[in-house]
Amino acid sequence: MTQIVYDGSYEGWLTAVFEIYEYKLKGIVFAKEEISNTLLFSNSHFVTTNGEKANRVLNDLQQRLSHHGFNNIYFAFLSELEKIEEILFRFVEYAFASPINIEGDLSRIEVSNVKKAAHLTGKESHRMKAFVRFKLTKDNLYYAIVDPDCDVLPIIEQHFKNRYSDQRWLIYDSKRKYGIYYDLENVSTVEMQFESNASSSFLAEINDENEEFFQNLWRNYFCSVNIESRKNTKLHIKHMPKRYWKNLTEKIPNLNKR
Amino acid sequence: MVQERVMEKLAILADATKYDVSCSSGQSTRKNKNKGLGDTGGGICHAFTEDGRCVSLLKILLTNHCIFDCAYCVSRKSNDIKRVAFTVQEVVDLTIGFYRRNYIEGLFLSSGIFDNADYTMERLVRIVKKLRLEENFNGYIHLKAIPGASEELLKEAGLYADRLSVNVEMPTEQSLKLLAPDKNHKDVIKPMEYLKNEIIDYQEEKKSNYKTPLFAPAGQSTQMVIGATKENDMEILGMANYFYEQMKMRRVYYSGYVPISHDNRLPAIGTPVPMIRENRLYQADWLIRYYGFNVNEIVGFDQPNLDLDIDPKLGWALRNLHQFPVDINTADLELIQRIPGIGFLSAKKIVRRKKFQKITARRFKEIRNCLQPIEVFLGFFFAFLYAKRPNFCSNKKSDFEFAKQ
């Protein structure tokens, strides 16, 4: 039993893959940042993230997989499912061992699990493109708070950059405590503490004077387009799962409504 | 903006468009250039109403004033309702404000007719022009072309909007005459024809000169009200087929009639909305557009209406049992698509997969995840498989075999 301790980043994981081969490690278990206590009697191998090693793994994978299959590994990694590192390692191991492209071999659990995990991330990233709700502050920043199950910010960044290239925006992941910020030129990753449950008076203070009006307009519009007699809550929740509601303007009742 | 006034207008003018069913926002290719605002691509549904429909566009009327008196319409002249109208600037501000907050993909703008067709159309065009030229907006815009508007205005609309549509409203000319005495079938068909030709011309020109501007890149669509008059499904689908083939329409929408008036030409208030029928019509529509079915195979003189209890594809299969069971390992794409329960995406996956291996029931399940309801139409029969695995069809996350490390 060997416990691989890495920093939790994609690059770190790739370095770990390299070192598993380099040191011929067997019986792999991954752990993020600190040694897990559940495995008392195991060896630990500490991985220092190394760009060169990571790139060698990436290059090798790129040659063995299609563009789509190559991306799927990254997507699956971002799904943050339990034990995803091991699942991915099995996939990579299989890819390296086989002389041909193995992506289509869905009868193998190594392949189908990765595909399923990548699908989860893909689905959630699509939802996040839809469910980000920007609010405008007094100093012209559009900010939004999200908390997705999968770590999707890195893959939705380009979408928002293309779409909102003439406004400054920030999308903050309150679960992972980091955000992506666009300053009209580039998108950068920012780490910060953001009070998502700040008081309404505080929010009114930092928000643009028209912000509340637009939120109310949107709520108003959302109610107006509903056809009461066709109410279908099950379908509604299927499309807009409840876990997203706390960040959706139209699902937050208007507190100041007279 | 005078806030309270706008709030009220939005409630009234959004409410009036909710029976206009068009909501799609894809199929266009407008890209964000020179750091403008927005782009148009796949189309995203940003929210879902409590009845489960998606909201991707800000769908509003410019005004509910109308000189026409169409019996099926809430905005008809004789209806005693509050009349309001947005200004050009208000629509622009609303669209931009909503778009910047990522609430919507774009604008769907329709209108009652005030004064005359050209006067109304001119205002609609002013809004799109302002959005595109002054606000540098590249989001999706679907504009209603007003029947009877001049060709110059239609042309200008096409240069700035992504999709244009003229509603045919009634499947036949007689019903249109009956319920919309001021409207003329020709006034609807004429702009459609004009737009069709312009779209084709621009596309042709684009091939030789890439600088040719876009002209209604998402094509045109139309809508029919279903269940207000006596037409059968054969007439409705026949009309739809005419639009797809002759007018090169991208979509035909069917809107189940919601009784709104005590007019003895129409179903009485309280008559249920033909929701299932509407759904069956959409299913049939998809069979025609994506599955290679001919209208005559779905409805015919011996059976002019769609069966409400079963979907049209199953209906076709039951009428053509001699074609089944199909062995998916030897059938071609065309036939696989016709098996009830297999969509065109699964069909494509099956054909791709067939190149590598023989498709057994187990592999089939990996593609489609459930084969129970359609097994009788397939070449293989694996009843014992269900007996062993009762949860064959469930698609829950817990089914992930991650646990088997």
Side-chain angles (χ1 to χ4, degrees):
Chain A
M1 224 31 165
T2 315
Q3 198 172 182
I4 312 278
V5 187
Y6 78 115
D7 63 359
S9 70
Y10 188 50
E11 224 182 13
W13 176 79
L14 288 165
T15 313
V17 171
F18 187 90
E19 292 188 355
I20 291 166
Y21 279 94
E22 190 180 14
Y23 299 110
K24 298 193 171 64
L25 302 173
K26 293 276 176 300
I28 306 302
V29 180
F30 283 88
K32 274 183 191 127
E33 273 152 11
E34 55 195 59
I35 304 167
S36 158
N37 294 326
T38 48
L39 293 159
L40 277 177
F41 304 102
S42 65
N43 305 320
S44 295
H45 175 87
F46 289 88
V47 174
T48 317
T49 304
N50 178 324
E52 201 184 319
K53 288 180 179 176
N55 271 335
R56 279 180 61 182
V57 176
L58 279 180
N59 287 338
D60 211 346
L61 283 171
Q62 211 158 15
Q63 277 161 22
R64 285 162 192 274
L65 301 168
S66 74
H67 181 68
H68 181 71
F70 180 68
N71 274 346
N72 265 0
I73 299 183
Y74 185 43
F75 270 52
F77 183 80
L78 294 178
S79 75
E80 297 191 347
L81 281 170
E82 212 181 318
K83 304 213 169 188
I84 188 68
E85 295 101 329
E86 280 94 331
I87 292 165
L88 276 168
F89 181 70
R90 294 230 165 79
F91 174 79
V92 170
E93 208 175 24
Y94 182 36
F96 284 155
S98 162
I100 54 160
N101 185 333
I102 45 95
E103 279 162 53
D105 191 0
L106 289 173
S107 54
R108 288 287 292 255
I109 193 151
E110 292 92 333
V111 182
S112 64
N113 276 348
V114 167
K115 197 175 166 149
K116 280 176 191 163
H119 180 74
L120 273 187
T121 313
K123 193 168 164 188
E124 185 142 56
S125 74
H126 182 77
R127 277 176 167 162
M128 275 304 126
K129 286 175 192 169
F131 295 154
V132 160
R133 296 282 180 263
F134 286 120
K135 293 173 181 146
L136 179 62
T137 66
K138 279 204 172 77
D139 52 354
N140 261 325
L141 171 75
Y142 285 87
Y143 73 95
I145 300 167
V146 294
D147 74 322
D149 283 352
C150 310
D151 185 11
V152 295
L153 290 192
I155 46 179
I156 60 173
E157 173 183 312
Q158 195 58 38
H159 169 85
F160 284 97
K161 194 181 166 190
N162 288 343
R163 179 160 292 206
Y164 299 107
S165 56
D166 71 338
Q167 69 189 37
R168 290 194 306 131
W169 51 258
L170 166 76
I171 303 172
Y172 181 74
D173 186 333
S174 61
K175 199 181 208 164
R176 295 169 188 85
K177 309 273 178 238
Y178 83 101
I180 47 176
Y181 168 66
Y182 174 71
D183 60 2
L184 298 177
E185 287 298 327
N186 297 305
V187 180
S188 48
T189 305
V190 287
E191 271 182 54
M192 57 185 214
Q193 279 298 327
F194 202 100
E195 280 300 323
S196 58
N197 50 356
S199 72
S200 55
S201 61
F202 170 74
L203 286 175
E205 215 167 273
I206 65 159
N207 279 348
D208 180 76
E209 51 180 15
N210 274 328
E211 180 50 40
E212 205 190 321
F213 170 58
F214 268 106
Q215 288 183 25
N216 287 338
L217 265 180
W218 176 240
R219 277 185 207 111
N220 180 350
Y221 178 74
F222 186 73
C223 293
S224 304
V225 290
N226 183 33
I227 299 178
E228 199 68 48
S229 57
R230 288 190 176 193
K231 187 168 176 160
N232 187 343
T233 310
K234 203 176 147 197
L235 189 61
H236 176 61
I237 290 175
K238 187 182 161 198
H239 287 311
M240 253 161 74
K242 276 191 173 154
R243 66 196 156 100
Y244 299 125
W245 287 13
K246 63 177 178 293
N247 293 319
L248 287 172
T249 311
E250 62 271 28
K251 293 310 259 178
I252 304 166
N254 183 5
L255 296 173
N256 305 333
K257 210 168 190 174
R258 272 161 287 170
Chain B
M1 283 197 269
V2 188
Q3 301 196 342
E4 269 174 34
R5 193 80 186 102
V6 171
M7 190 74 85
E8 188 196 24
K9 285 186 195 176
L10 181 65
I12 295 172
L13 295 173
D15 188 81
T17 47
K18 70 183 174 195
Y19 302 109
D20 215 314
V21 281
S22 167
C23 70
S24 69
S25 59
Q27 300 196 341
S28 192
T29 49
R30 203 173 292 275
K31 288 283 159 266
N32 188 337
K33 273 174 263 160
N34 306 326
K35 291 221 163 181
L37 171 67
D39 66 353
T40 311
I44 296 171
C45 302
H46 285 268
F48 294 86
T49 60
E50 279 166 21
D51 54 65
R53 290 168 309 134
C54 81
V55 179
S56 79
L57 302 170
L58 169 64
K59 211 193 290 184
I60 46 173
L61 291 184
L62 175 62
T63 178
N64 61 352
H65 286 282
C66 197
I67 54 170
F68 285 172
D69 204 22
C70 310
Y72 49 82
C73 179
V74 205
S75 307
R76 68 185 178 281
K77 191 170 62 184
S78 60
N79 200 13
D80 184 22
I81 51 163
K82 191 162 187 182
R83 305 287 170 169
V84 286
F86 278 124
T87 63
V88 171
Q89 192 58 44
E90 279 167 350
V91 178
V92 171
D93 289 346
L94 267 177
T95 311
I96 298 291
F98 277 12
Y99 195 87
R100 286 198 183 280
R101 285 169 178 77
N102 203 35
Y103 296 163
I104 51 168
E105 281 289 286
L107 174 68
F108 172 103
L109 188 59
S110 178
S111 183
I113 299 171
F114 42 8
D115 234 17
N116 61 53
D118 269 355
Y119 181 83
T120 314
M121 193 69 211
E122 198 257 336
R123 295 214 154 191
L124 297 181
V125 169
R126 252 162 62 198
I127 292 171
V128 224
K129 268 178 101 166
K130 202 160 194 168
L131 280 168
R132 295 283 191 229
L133 303 178
E134 289 176 29
E135 302 284 343
N136 203 354
F137 176 69
N138 300 293
Y140 186 85
I141 301 178
H142 179 153
L143 211 59
K144 276 269 127 95
I146 306 293
S150 71
E151 290 187 350
E152 292 80 63
L153 283 169
L154 286 179
K155 182 161 186 174
E156 234 185 331
L159 286 172
Y160 300 106
D162 290 283
R163 173 171 282 179
L164 288 162
S165 59
V166 198
N167 280 357
V168 57
E169 310 292 11
M170 292 294 146
T172 58
E173 194 162 0
Q174 295 93 297
S175 341
L176 191 70
K177 249 198 202 111
L178 175 72
L179 296 180
D182 316 307
K183 272 193 184 159
N184 195 327
H185 206 63
K186 250 193 291 174
D187 283 347
V188 180
I189 300 296
K190 224 181 96 195
M192 276 182 191
E193 211 134 59
Y194 173 76
L195 288 172
K196 178 193 85 175
N197 293 330
E198 284 295 297
I199 290 169
I200 293 173
D201 284 354
Y202 271 87
Q203 278 169 351
E204 280 303 310
E205 211 180 313
K206 189 109 192 159
K207 279 179 199 158
S208 53
N209 178 5
Y210 74 98
K211 278 187 175 162
T212 309
L214 293 173
F215 188 90
Q220 54 170 336
S221 64
T222 192
Q223 172 173 323
M224 281 188 255
V225 179
I226 303 306
T229 44
K230 300 273 175 267
E231 281 90 7
N232 59 35
D233 292 340
M234 188 173 72
E235 285 171 279
I236 292 166
L237 288 170
M239 197 66 192
N241 197 46
Y242 163 78
F243 287 130
Y244 287 130
E245 289 193 344
Q246 303 300 317
M247 296 292 179
K248 306 283 173 235
M249 292 263 168
R250 292 282 180 86
R251 276 301 281 276
V252 174
Y253 291 96
Y254 310 91
S255 165
Y257 177 70
V258 184
I260 43 155
S261 73
H262 295 284
D263 189 314
N264 53 19
R265 288 171 291 174
L266 286 164
I269 284 186
T271 313
V273 181
M275 274 165 71
I276 298 174
R277 187 176 175 208
E278 186 188 294
N279 181 236
R280 296 288 178 231
L281 281 166
Y282 277 114
Q283 288 173 326
D285 186 89
W286 279 65
L287 292 182
I288 295 166
R289 283 190 298 147
Y290 290 100
Y291 291 80
F293 278 87
N294 194 302
V295 190
N296 304 328
E297 292 180 276
I298 302 165
V299 279
F301 283 105
D302 51 329
Q303 204 217 1
N305 281 313
L306 295 168
D307 198 326
L308 294 183
D309 299 323
I310 53 172
D311 72 81
K313 200 172 172 188
L314 183 58
W316 172 83
L318 293 176
R319 270 177 276 124
N320 293 279
L321 279 175
H322 59 277
Q323 303 233 18
F324 296 99
V326 169
D327 180 355
I328 48 172
N329 282 301
T330 55
D332 59 358
L333 180 68
E334 178 89 312
L335 189 56
I336 294 175
Q337 282 188 346
R338 289 179 171 232
I339 302 170
I342 298 185
F344 62 92
L345 289 178
S346 309
K348 280 197 187 115
K349 274 189 211 161
I350 290 167
V351 172
R352 231 179 290 145
R353 195 79 179 265
K354 259 181 1 186
K355 290 179 193 155
F356 295 102
Q357 55 204 180
K358 192 169 185 290
I359 304 207
T360 59
R362 189 176 289 271
R363 285 185 184 134
F364 183 76
K365 174 218 149 196
E366 287 165 12
I367 296 169
R368 201 183 153 269
N369 230 348
C370 177
L371 86 155
Q372 209 148 16
I374 61 160
E375 62 192 9
V376 290
F377 296 108
L378 293 171
F380 43 73
F381 196 82
F382 273 68
F384 67 91
L385 213 65
Y386 309 128
K388 272 200 264 174
R389 313 174 93 193
N391 282 334
F392 200 63
C393 284
S394 76
N395 191 14
K396 275 175 278 162
K397 215 168 159 184
S398 60
D399 278 9
F400 279 20
E401 289 164 310
F402 291 157
K404 287 190 194 167
Q405 298 299 323

